[in-house]
């Protein structure tokens, strides 16, 4: 994906659905730790993680929330959306190497405030539901088509 | 902080409170973009952001959620907690350079499942409430004292 587009409130229909997938790498876990400040060694130190009930390093629970927020910004309604609320239930741990797929499905629309409600389900590559929730988003008021995006170059930050 | 400790269910009292602060750097925004996959240029490209209603690059909304999750893992109940659920309302944009403070306050305890409910408020350096929500966490079953943590070295990931 090198461009993203959005969907205006009037063009969104209850039942509309989009998927967004990402594989959790060891680097992703480090980046989440550094940006959030959650340095719990359960996520970062495999020697320590081996001594816990999990037996290995696992991702941060809220990484699934980050993935849902990315799905909303990148696919439906897409850029120009205003994120109002999100509920999340965390069901299962996410391991390094797991591929998560967020499925967003429009469950409600409120015309007066142009608010769209999205059911959010996050499954891993085995079909296990690792997280789920409901998002409320104000749909974009201006059409954006083929907005260029580029990968993040972390070398530029140092 | 070079070590973290946790609080067991029986040692947690309704009304207990902890704070956790972090300043959003431009690098943090890039790290969140890369780990989540949310490459919306509103967060990354100041030329583009200038054309939007925000007028400048803003942080990802879910970064506030990531900060709440870090506060829980690092302070109360701390390491060994199991994150069950989180609700979030996003009230105001967060700008690069803003310092957010998460305040966690225990509002309920359920003995049977060792579940602790935490009110979560996120304020910026001006005292504006940028986000708020409620977390449910299973408190740790084993005491962890002075668990060593170390900063993330991103150079190791390349």
């Amino acid at each position: 994906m090198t461009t993203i587009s959005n969907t205006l409130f009037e063009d969104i229909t209850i039942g509309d659905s989009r998927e967004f997938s990402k594989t959790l790498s060891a680097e992703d876990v480090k980046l989440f730790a550094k940006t959030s400040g959650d340095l719990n060694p359960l996520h970062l130190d495999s020697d320590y993680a081996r001594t816990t009930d999990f037996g290995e390093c696992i991702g941060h629970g809220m990484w699934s929330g980050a993935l849902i927020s990315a799905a909303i910004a990148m696919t439906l309604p897409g850029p120009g959306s205003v994120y109002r609320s999100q509920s999340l239930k965390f069901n299962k741990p996410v391991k390094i190497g797991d591929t998560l797929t967020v499925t967003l499905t429009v469950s409600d629309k409120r015309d007066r405030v142009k608010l769209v409600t999205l059911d959010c389900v996050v499954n891993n590559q085995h079909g296990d539901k690792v997280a789920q929730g409901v998002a409320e988003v104000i749909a974009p008021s201006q059409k954006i088509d083929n907005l260029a995006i580029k990968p993040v170059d972390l070398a530029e930050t140092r």
Side-chain angles (χ1 to χ4, degrees), chain A:
Chain A
M1 190 191 319
T2 53
T3 68
I4 52 177
S5 301
N6 68 10
T7 308
L8 299 180
F9 182 81
E10 53 267 34
D11 297 326
I12 293 172
T13 304
I14 292 175
D16 282 354
S17 190
R18 293 289 191 291
E19 290 191 351
F20 181 84
S21 294
K22 194 170 193 303
T23 300
L24 180 65
S25 67
E27 183 187 32
D28 288 328
V29 176
K30 284 190 167 193
L31 302 183
F32 193 92
K34 191 167 170 74
T35 191
S36 69
D38 181 350
L39 302 175
N40 186 338
L42 172 62
H43 308 299
L44 300 164
D45 178 341
S46 53
D47 289 338
Y48 172 74
R50 217 169 289 130
T51 70
T52 70
D53 290 345
F54 295 103
E56 62 185 297
C57 284
I58 60 164
H60 299 78
M62 191 54 84
W63 188 73
S64 296
L67 218 59
I68 290 174
S69 76
I72 291 168
M74 300 285 279
T75 71
L76 183 70
S81 302
V82 179
Y83 211 178
R84 297 301 296 146
S85 75
Q86 179 73 56
S87 68
L88 292 162
K89 284 189 184 171
F90 305 107
N91 302 323
K92 278 176 173 275
V94 177
K95 297 176 183 178
I96 292 166
D98 280 356
T99 299
L100 301 192
T101 299
V102 177
T103 304
L104 304 174
T105 307
V106 177
S107 62
D108 196 20
K109 288 180 68 177
R110 268 173 279 171
D111 281 35
R112 196 175 55 80
V113 282
K114 301 213 181 302
L115 196 79
V116 174
T117 306
L118 298 154
D119 280 336
C120 314
V121 176
V122 187
N123 286 301
N124 66 17
Q125 70 276 17
H126 307 297
D128 300 322
K129 193 190 291 180
V130 298
Q132 65 192 110
V134 175
E136 291 181 316
V137 179
I138 300 174
S141 53
Q142 294 190 309
K143 186 73 185 134
I144 297 174
D145 271 318
N146 300 315
L147 177 62
I149 56 169
K150 51 179 190 173
V152 174
D153 181 359
L154 293 182
E156 286 174 13
T157 67
R158 239 104 359 103

